[in-house]
Amino acid sequence: MFPAMLSLALIGGLFGVVLAVASKKFHVEVDPRMDAIADALPGSNCGACGYPGCGGLAEAIFEGRAPVDACPPGGSEVAAKIAGIMGEEAAAGDEEKQIIQLMCGGGKENCGDKYAYIGVQDCRIAKSLMGGPKNCDFGCLGLGTCAEVCPFDAIYMDDNDLPVVDHDKCTACGICVETCPQALLQFVGISKLVHVRCRNTERGREARAGCKVACIKCKLCERNCPQDAIHVKSFGEGTVAIIDYDKCDNCGTCVEVCRMNTITLSEEPAAGLAAAAVDASDDSDNCGGCPGAGTCAN
Amino acid sequence: MGAKTFNGGIYPPGFKELTCSKEITPANEPEQVLIPLSQHIGAPCKPIVKRRDTVKIGQKIGESAGFVSSTIHASISGTVKEIKPVSGFGQCIVIENDGKQEMDPSVKPNPNPENLSLDEMRNIILEAGIVGLGGAMFPSHVKFAPPEDKPIDEVILNGGECEPYLTADHRVMLEKPDRIIAGLKYIMKIVKCNRGSIGVEDNKMDAVEALRKAAAGSDNIEVVALKAKYPQGGEKQLIEACTGREVPSGGLPMDVGIVVNNVGTAIAVADAIENGTPLIQRVVTVTGNGIKNPANYLARIGTPIRELIEQSGGYTGRIGKLISGGPLMGAALYSDMVPVTKGTSGILALEHSSLDRAEERECVRCAKCVDVCPIGLEPTTIMTYSKMGEWDLANENHVFDCIECGSCSFMCPSRIPLIQHIAHAKNMISQKEREEKEKAAEA
């Protein structure tokens, strides 16, 4: 027993000395700014910047290979912090926050299925089978691939099988935008409230046959818009109503005239979030995970 | 010595007795045809007719839009009604039948088929719109123009027809063995080689006999009986079984000096060169337990499959699955108002009650998929990488060598749709590569 204790103690002591010497001799000088940058980044490793995780981006920014505002989820706030660390002038942070909007209103209530899809629950795979199971070849397939790929858990599917984005959690990394096989998710400034929820470019009759809220290209919105902001424009292989967000002032005229209820006016997102916060404080069971629309994320 | 074959593979029940003894009958003239602009791999055709134009049988209505492309022809005489998209088939030219059955003057027999130059023959094949009739629909004139540094020493005709239910090729081999041999000789001439063989599964020995009889006078043509095993009719498996050569990873049959064609394609080649007939009809097996009278039809390209099913007496009851092609590699359809294309070898309707839709469970690492993969891949590994979105790793595991035969999905005791995951990985990798190329082109 005693010799065993002694020999282990000796070995331990020997290794301790070796390590102590090595740590002095092979010491690598790490610039504390690199760690500071890594701390300033969100740390979710979403990959939206194109570098291998937040650590990779921190290194790239430090070495000057990437600009200080290279983190899309971080936005101007993180860019300003990093610019401070790097001693650079921060880029002007007056750009409006961009949020994700779904350009389709064809949930399962409005748009039926042309066939029963039995297979891998992934929109991209379902789309490769005759354009997907939905009656509309352009609409949201509703299998929730966007929710699955979201690294921030900011998207959930509602009762109607349409994705809902929690703007509080969304960092605008853009992974869902790239993933959606129908290209229905789009970045829009947070102040914009009027959206055409349709990307079906077929002629009106065909579009209406597949979906109750499809754009039928009647041009009522175009004729009535006081700002000349909405037009039935050529898009893909056909046409569809598209809003010029630079001109739109949220007046809602097009929403009123649209007979198909394709165009919607959403509530102020800020107001919705505030309401959710109030609800959460009222009842301790409320997790606050929903954006306040009463739909539970869990 | 047993019949020749390849490594791996499966033995699914054949169900060929439903139609294998039924002669090919001409399908009724369709009221209208829907002719897709894209019935081949490569660029879709450019339409050269417009609305209200009158067309005759065999008239060219779409021309080739690139080197890897093909042509399409009117399969009935009548009026062009419109050009519209059909879900899953792209843009289609719709022709209403006028019942006159007028042939286009361009369809006339060639007085001296023996004296044509190789380029003339290739041009005839392009102008006749001939593509691989086995299902892949690869333009034949491209296949027949191998680069100079890859000499061809053998042409193999594919009479495997390993997919369950299908008997179109079987009937063709029984009824037109002379035309198959004639077509094979033309193909051998075009690719400048002196050896031809026809691979037929040994569950069709009557076809083997018929072909051997037709080829009796030609020493350089051999009819090979192959083991009845799926996917024996896969191009690479056929080459392995007939010659023992292995097509390298990522390579084509011409890399080992071989050109493979379906037996039906050989007849189309012979018809085009001798009679000037473009590819406007093909043999289609209409079968399955959901069809009242299963049969083999000679149908015009573009015939809505509903008309063929009606000619077979219609459906027996509630249909659970309608498939274009065979049960293993065919494409599921959701409507019977879709056309017969150059690649439609069969229409399969299965009763709802006969389907077994078990739920997917976790992979139990039994490696049955690895055992049966005819390429020697690890389907389960690729499937896992596909699920994780690790496209680079999927690519390193040779996902692009997968021929999507479906043997792994067939064998999987956990009922995992392996093929769907693997095909998805292929799509995503191709998409990524395209995007990168576009980015590079912009920069």
Side-chain angles (χ1 to χ4, degrees):
Chain A
M1 168 105 180
F2 190 70
M5 280 169 69
L6 189 72
S7 56
L8 272 180
L10 272 174
I11 294 170
L14 192 72
F15 281 154
V17 171
V18 170
L19 283 174
V21 171
S23 74
K24 282 281 173 212
K25 188 155 180 158
F26 302 112
H27 181 66
V28 179
E29 208 56 62
V30 176
D31 196 305
R33 286 183 296 170
M34 192 130 111
D35 288 335
I37 295 170
D39 286 343
L41 290 168
S44 57
N45 297 325
C46 70
C49 55
Y51 289 91
C54 294
L57 178 62
E59 204 180 313
I61 293 177
F62 179 69
E63 287 169 7
R65 285 183 284 125
V68 289
D69 58 354
C71 174
S76 52
E77 207 177 302
V78 169
K81 261 194 219 164
I82 298 177
I85 297 163
M86 293 293 288
E88 278 179 33
E89 197 75 18
D94 58 352
E95 267 180 34
E96 193 187 353
K97 181 178 157 95
Q98 299 284 304
I99 59 171
I100 304 284
Q101 291 290 350
L102 175 72
M103 296 304 171
C104 174
K108 65 181 174 195
E109 277 176 8
N110 293 322
C111 181
D113 285 351
K114 61 188 174 200
Y115 63 84
Y117 175 70
I118 298 166
V120 183
Q121 298 294 302
D122 185 303
C123 300
R124 295 165 293 183
I125 299 182
K127 186 182 163 67
S128 63
L129 294 171
M130 308 264 165
K134 279 291 194 67
N135 271 333
C136 169
D137 279 350
F138 304 84
C140 172
L141 298 170
L143 299 178
T145 301
C146 47
E148 209 148 281
V149 298
C150 177
F152 301 96
D153 243 355
I155 304 180
Y156 62 91
M157 303 303 286
D158 67 9
D159 293 343
N160 213 1
D161 282 350
L162 289 179
V164 180
V165 182
D166 179 344
H167 300 309
D168 240 8
K169 287 185 183 169
C170 174
T171 60
C173 71
I175 289 183
C176 55
V177 176
E178 271 176 39
T179 304
C180 178
Q182 304 287 59
L184 289 170
L185 296 165
Q186 191 186 332
F187 281 117
V188 182
I190 194 163
S191 67
K192 300 298 171 190
L193 305 177
V194 176
H195 307 289
V196 182
R197 307 274 185 197
C198 184
R199 280 285 186 266
N200 186 320
T201 61
E202 289 172 320
R203 282 175 296 181
R205 190 162 43 97
E206 287 148 16
R208 198 211 308 244
C211 176
K212 284 186 212 157
V213 291
C215 170
I216 54 168
K217 290 92 194 167
C218 64
K219 298 199 177 182
L220 271 178
C221 51
E222 187 174 312
R223 283 202 294 274
N224 286 292
C225 179
Q227 302 294 326
D228 191 35
I230 186 165
H231 291 278
V232 176
K233 282 192 217 174
S234 76
F235 184 83
E237 286 178 4
T239 59
V240 72
I242 291 178
I243 294 176
D244 180 349
Y245 288 108
D246 288 341
K247 289 186 186 162
C248 176
D249 66 350
N250 298 337
C251 74
T253 312
C254 53
V255 182
E256 278 160 34
V257 297
C258 180
R259 288 180 298 187
M260 294 298 290
N261 296 323
T262 312
I263 312 175
T264 64
L265 177 69
S266 29
E267 286 174 41
E268 297 265 356
L273 292 175
V278 171
D279 283 348
S281 61
D282 283 345
D283 189 341
S284 57
D285 275 353
N286 284 353
C287 67
C290 59
T295 326
C296 184
N298 302 319
Chain B
M1 196 185 97
K4 295 180 173 180
T5 189
F6 61 98
N7 285 326
I10 54 172
Y11 301 92
F15 299 108
K16 290 185 188 260
E17 64 284 354
L18 288 171
T19 49
C20 70
S21 55
K22 303 212 172 141
E23 266 181 43
I24 300 168
T25 42
N28 297 339
E29 278 250 328
E31 292 287 305
Q32 68 169 28
V33 289
L34 308 151
I35 301 181
L37 288 176
S38 181
Q39 296 186 55
H40 48 264
I41 290 176
C45 293
K46 275 187 293 207
I48 50 172
V49 288
K50 51 187 193 302
R51 216 173 143 236
R52 300 215 180 92
D53 277 2
T54 313
V55 292
K56 291 176 180 166
I57 300 175
Q59 184 182 336
K60 187 157 93 168
I61 54 175
E63 66 181 1
S64 149
F67 178 62
V68 182
S69 185
S70 191
T71 56
I72 52 169
H73 301 80
S75 53
I76 54 173
S77 65
T79 324
V80 177
K81 195 180 153 204
E82 58 184 330
I83 301 177
K84 66 163 188 186
V86 172
S87 182
F89 290 80
Q91 293 284 333
C92 293
I93 299 180
V94 183
I95 304 172
E96 297 254 292
N97 199 340
D98 59 7
K100 289 181 194 158
Q101 306 194 16
E102 272 177 292
M103 290 300 282
D104 193 65
S106 68
V107 181
K108 53 176 187 288
N110 210 316
N112 292 313
E114 300 299 323
N115 298 341
L116 292 168
S117 74
L118 299 186
D119 279 336
E120 277 170 338
M121 284 201 274
R122 269 186 215 119
N123 195 42
I124 289 174
I125 287 165
L126 162 66
E127 287 302 315
I130 295 177
V131 299
L133 295 182
M137 303 194 278
F138 189 79
S140 298
H141 67 281
V142 182
K143 204 183 246 186
F144 296 159
E148 287 291 322
D149 58 334
K150 290 190 178 145
I152 301 298
D153 62 9
E154 184 165 348
V155 174
I156 303 180
L157 288 191
N158 190 345
E161 198 161 55
C162 53
E163 275 262 6
Y165 287 100
L166 303 184
T167 56
D169 289 347
H170 185 186
R171 289 313 303 179
V172 166
M173 289 187 283
L174 278 180
E175 294 177 31
K176 293 178 175 174
D178 300 330
R179 301 298 294 156
I180 293 174
I181 302 293
L184 175 56
K185 284 181 180 164
Y186 284 119
I187 297 172
M188 284 158 63
K189 197 168 163 189
I190 298 170
V191 300
K192 293 185 268 190
C193 85
N194 199 27
R195 250 186 76 74
S197 44
I198 307 174
V200 185
E201 275 190 351
D202 62 4
N203 57 358
K204 299 184 264 289
M205 285 315 280
D206 47 351
V208 174
E209 293 308 318
L211 287 167
R212 281 195 178 141
K213 220 167 161 189
S218 328
D219 295 338
N220 53 356
I221 293 177
E222 190 192 355
V223 182
V224 190
L226 307 167
K227 193 170 174 183
K229 177 165 81 168
Y230 181 87
Q232 186 66 73
E235 196 169 62
K236 288 163 191 173
Q237 287 63 44
L238 186 71
I239 294 172
E240 189 182 329
C242 287
T243 66
R245 296 180 209 175
E246 189 182 305
V247 180
S249 169
L252 291 169
M254 66 178 173
D255 292 325
V256 289
I258 286 173
V259 163
V260 179
N261 273 285
N262 180 266
V263 285
T265 316
I267 295 188
V269 167
D271 283 349
I273 291 177
E274 289 175 5
N275 307 332
T277 333
L279 185 55
I280 52 167
Q281 52 190 9
R282 68 154 297 142
V283 181
V284 181
T285 304
V286 180
T287 183
N289 57 12
I291 300 283
K292 277 199 182 132
N293 306 309
N296 298 300
Y297 293 114
L298 184 61
R300 304 289 171 94
I301 303 295
T303 308
I305 63 168
R306 174 182 290 174
E307 301 205 7
L308 296 181
I309 291 165
E310 275 166 12
Q311 196 176 342
S312 291
Y315 299 113
T316 51
R318 188 178 167 208
I319 296 303
K321 205 148 210 181
L322 186 64
I323 299 168
S324 160
L328 282 153
M329 284 191 77
L333 303 171
Y334 63 89
S335 155
D336 52 11
M337 267 316 283
V338 297
V340 167
T341 68
K342 293 173 184 176
T344 311
S345 43
I347 306 291
L348 176 60
L350 297 173
E351 273 181 359
H352 192 269
S353 56
S354 66
L355 298 179
D356 173 15
R357 282 176 170 148
E359 256 188 45
E360 179 183 342
R361 281 164 287 158
E362 287 300 312
C363 172
V364 294
R365 307 274 191 283
C366 67
K368 279 189 177 168
C369 56
V370 181
D371 288 343
V372 299
C373 179
I375 305 291
L377 301 175
E378 288 178 29
T380 171
T381 310
I382 300 175
M383 178 271 292
T384 311
Y385 288 142
S386 174
K387 270 189 181 171
M388 289 158 58
E390 294 284 355
W391 314 125
D392 290 343
L393 286 170
N395 208 354
E396 278 170 30
N397 280 276
H398 305 283
V399 61
F400 277 99
D401 283 325
C402 168
I403 57 168
E404 298 181 32
C405 67
S407 297
C408 49
S409 302
F410 179 84
M411 276 312 288
C412 181
S414 286
R415 310 294 291 265
I416 300 171
L418 288 141
I419 276 302
Q420 251 194 321
H421 287 292
I422 292 172
H424 177 50
K426 282 185 179 178
N427 282 342
M428 293 305 292
I429 296 167
S430 311
Q431 193 186 322
K432 286 240 146 59
E433 278 173 2
R434 257 200 319 274
E435 277 168 13
E436 266 163 35
K437 239 183 230 168
E438 273 167 30
K439 248 185 219 166
E442 272 172 33

